Amino acid sequence: MSDKDIAALPAKVDAGEFTANDLCDLAGRAVQKGVAKYGILHRPNAGPDFQMITEVFGGDPYDKQAGKLQASKAALHAFYTWVKYCVDKKALFPNNSAMSWDAIEQAAMGGDEALVFFHGVWRVTDQMKAFKFKGKDDYFHKYTWINAPAGKKGGKPANLSHPIAYAVSAKSKNKELAAYIVALASQSYPNMQHAVSTNHTPINYGEQSMPELVDKGWALVAATPMLKYASFMPNHPKIGQYNSIIFKGIQGVETGRLNADKATDFVIDELQNELGKDVVIKN
Amino acid sequence: MRAMPDFARAQQNRQRANFALFLGPALVLLVCFFIAPVVVDLGLAFTDMGRTLAVTGFTLDNFERMATRDSRLLASLGITAIFVLSTLAVFNVTFALLLALVTTAVPKAFGAFFQAVWLLPRMSPSVVYALLWAWVVDPNERGLLNQVLVHVLGLPPVDLRSNQPLLTIILANGFIGASLGMIIFTSAIRSIPEHLFHAARADGAGSLAIVRHIVFPAMRWPISYMTIHQTLSLLVSFEYILLITGGGPFYDTTVFSLYAYRRAFENGQYAYGAALSLILIVIGVIAALGMWRLMDMRRLLQPPRIEGH
């Protein structure tokens, strides 16, 4: 793949021309030809990262109307079929979930051993340090960002965001004061300062034009267009358990303990037993 | 009817006072830390207690789920059986015995030093010991085992934690577990009257014959005791497993106690965790009573057969 191909990749992903399977083919080739030690690396434990890649196969963890978590057997099966495909192609590393965070960060950043790494925009600070980049140009010379590619040709890519919800306790004696503090912190200027110091995207588009954000928050400016394909992580109290079960399925397939059929059955079984009435299972 | 003589009453009172004084503290401990938890666990198993700790009613759902819907339960019991039996057979009894024999056969100062070194992991916190193991079996070239394999022996690196996870937890538990057996067995060997060894030597017995005919007969009770104690201990211990493999990869090293812990404390299903723990309690009681009978442990409580001087 030439530099020109890489530069054209984000647009191809957004157009649904370059699919999730294509990504595994590419990563698998890179491993087999010795270009990279790892094709695609992901976090070693459960977390929200995997929601976007399940979504391109039709997964949607939340039923907004009912306020409940949900899972679709067909979508899960398509997703775990993809995971198995990637393992067979050597794009996914079977023992990824046994690696320590240190080993993964070393491989994906300073060590320069991974072709693709699933990560959030807040990682940019670590990546800059690991490669000793001087600025934006150095960074984007090394890294190209893509959304999670579509599950099939012509499909939609996906991305993920997690807006923080503030909750004021009903028992609080200072409800109005709490709401006032939240309102103050959500003003453009203080939120922009939070955004640039933590590398999280700002909460309103107006902040994009503030000089300090343009200067220090170039990564956030670059990430904002990707929000077009973003869905949100549900603010449901049991989303952590839900994500753990999805991850256990991924680990089962990656390590060769489960195939796509068994992984789907396992995840449905665990979701029903663990979350009970909080989850709706669909076909 | 005649009144009880004063001295008889005084004696009875003294007996009661002695009973309260000597057995009382042990009974209080027994009730608080052994019987009460079992009763609480039994009660909880029939409720629907979840993360909020609220109990809304009594139910048999947990037992129905165990019997019909828990697809991991049997596998977890199987893993527990392999883990307990292997660790026990290879390390906590056999290897401990070997350590005791070797450290008592060498000069005393050297043996004591070696035993002290072997006890070091027991003195350090579990987390430190587990972290050391995590470093030993780390799959990349920084792991201690791989440093030896790659740089000293010129072999390819291995990933024990992913490819031999059960072996990893058996080794980690076994090396630390063997030290307790070593101490008990050492004291048993040291309590054998020394003249027996001299007499055997004078009769022309070799080292192996001495071990077989003098040491082993004196080891029956310590071995029986260690077997029962360590079986029960291994059945419920999971801290090293949790810290080294996290019960994985997938469920490969999720022993039953870890499984019950996960369901109860990580998933917030306290009632279901309690019901699972009941299985462990039943297995523990059956194993203890069965082995007690099989090994005729009642005879252990009889006066010692070896007289000291």
Side-chain angles (χ1 to χ4, degrees), chain B residues 106-135:
Chain B
V106 296
K108 203 166 180 181
F110 189 62
F113 171 76
F114 193 70
Q115 286 182 352
V117 171
W118 207 264
L119 277 171
L120 271 181
R122 273 211 190 265
M123 296 175 205
S124 59
S126 308
V127 177
V128 174
Y129 178 72
L131 278 177
L132 282 172
W133 265 96
W135 169 58

Side-chain angles (χ1 to χ4, degrees), chain B residues 98-108 111 115 185-187 189-190:
Chain B
L98 197 70
L99 278 175
L101 286 171
V102 171
T103 51
T104 48
V106 296
K108 203 166 180 181
Q115 286 182 352
F185 297 151
T186 301
S187 70
I189 294 173
R190 291 218 189 282

Side-chain angles (χ1 to χ4, degrees), chain A residues 23-51:
Chain A
L23 184 67
C24 287
D25 290 339
L26 179 68
R29 271 208 308 281
V31 172
Q32 280 163 354
K33 290 193 171 175
V35 178
K37 186 174 175 187
Y38 306 104
I40 302 171
L41 273 186
H42 58 71
R43 61 184 298 149
N45 51 12
D49 303 25
F50 304 99
Q51 185 178 322

Side-chain angles (χ1 to χ4, degrees), chain A:
Chain A
M1 194 173 239
S2 66
D3 284 356
K4 211 173 132 192
D5 293 332
I6 294 173
L9 203 55
K12 276 180 139 183
V13 167
D14 291 353
E17 288 169 31
F18 186 88
T19 65
N21 276 13
D22 293 336
L23 184 67
C24 287
D25 290 339
L26 179 68
R29 271 208 308 281
V31 172
Q32 280 163 354
K33 290 193 171 175
V35 178
K37 186 174 175 187
Y38 306 104
I40 302 171
L41 273 186
H42 58 71
R43 61 184 298 149
N45 51 12
D49 303 25
F50 304 99
Q51 185 178 322
M52 58 176 142
I53 193 70
T54 56
E55 280 180 359
V56 299
F57 295 99
D60 177 3
Y62 196 51
D63 182 340
K64 292 182 193 68
Q65 258 73 45
K68 286 185 175 186
L69 294 167
Q70 63 177 4
S72 138
K73 284 183 188 172
L76 283 173
H77 192 267
F79 168 63
Y80 288 115
T81 304
W82 174 77
V83 175
K84 179 84 176 68
Y85 178 82
C86 298
V87 174
D88 292 343
K89 290 277 173 187
K90 300 202 184 309
L92 280 174
F93 178 55
N95 294 341
N96 191 150
S97 61
M99 290 170 79
S100 64
W101 264 117
D102 278 356
I104 286 175
E105 285 172 353
Q106 166 68 17
M109 296 193 230
D112 216 1
E113 292 174 324
L115 186 78
V116 179
F117 182 43
F118 266 113
H119 69 90
V121 67
W122 59 89
R123 276 264 176 219
V124 169
T125 317
D126 302 329
Q127 292 167 323
M128 295 289 287
K129 273 189 204 152
F131 280 107
K132 300 190 176 69
F133 292 144
K134 290 200 177 68
K136 179 183 171 185
D137 292 342
D138 280 358
Y139 182 86
F140 284 115
H141 180 68
K142 183 83 191 169
Y143 283 102
T144 299
W145 290 349
I146 56 168
N147 288 303
K152 57 180 183 231
K153 280 252 190 279
K156 262 180 71 177
N159 210 314
L160 180 71
S161 185
H162 186 199
I164 301 297
Y166 294 98
V168 178
S169 165
K171 288 181 186 162
S172 167
K173 287 179 191 154
N174 302 304
K175 283 188 207 112
E176 285 187 16
L177 184 62
Y180 182 65
I181 292 170
V182 170
L184 270 184
S186 307
Q187 298 269 310
S188 293
Y189 187 71
N191 181 258
M192 180 275 292
Q193 284 184 314
H194 170 262
V196 294
S197 57
T198 62
N199 254 331
H200 286 85
T201 41
I203 56 173
N204 65 54
Y205 284 107
E207 292 173 36
Q208 300 271 340
S209 54
M210 291 184 161
E212 201 177 332
L213 191 117
V214 173
D215 178 31
K216 293 185 195 160
W218 52 265
L220 304 175
V221 175
T224 303
M226 300 178 97
L227 288 175
K228 184 180 170 188
Y229 298 101
S231 58
F232 297 128
M233 186 174 141
N235 278 319
H236 188 283
K238 293 198 171 168
I239 186 66
Q241 257 169 288
Y242 183 98
N243 283 338
S244 292
I245 295 168
I246 297 286
F247 180 76
K248 211 72 181 150
I250 296 173
Q251 192 188 40
V253 177
E254 277 183 349
T255 56
R257 267 81 178 168
L258 302 174
N259 59 23
D261 290 346
K262 282 188 178 162
T264 308
D265 290 345
F266 164 77
V267 167
I268 297 288
D269 186 42
E270 286 286 305
L271 286 174
Q272 282 173 328
N273 279 322
E274 288 289 314
L275 305 176
K277 291 173 196 153
D278 290 312
V279 68
V280 180
I281 306 292
K282 297 175 175 172
N283 284 319

Side-chain angles (χ1 to χ4, degrees), chain B residues 221-242:
Chain B
W221 301 116
I223 288 176
S224 302
Y225 167 73
M226 280 310 293
T227 307
I228 297 178
H229 175 273
Q230 293 289 293
T231 304
L232 297 181
S233 159
L234 285 167
L235 262 179
V236 295
S237 77
F238 61 83
E239 74 264 35
Y240 300 123
I241 303 176
L242 183 66

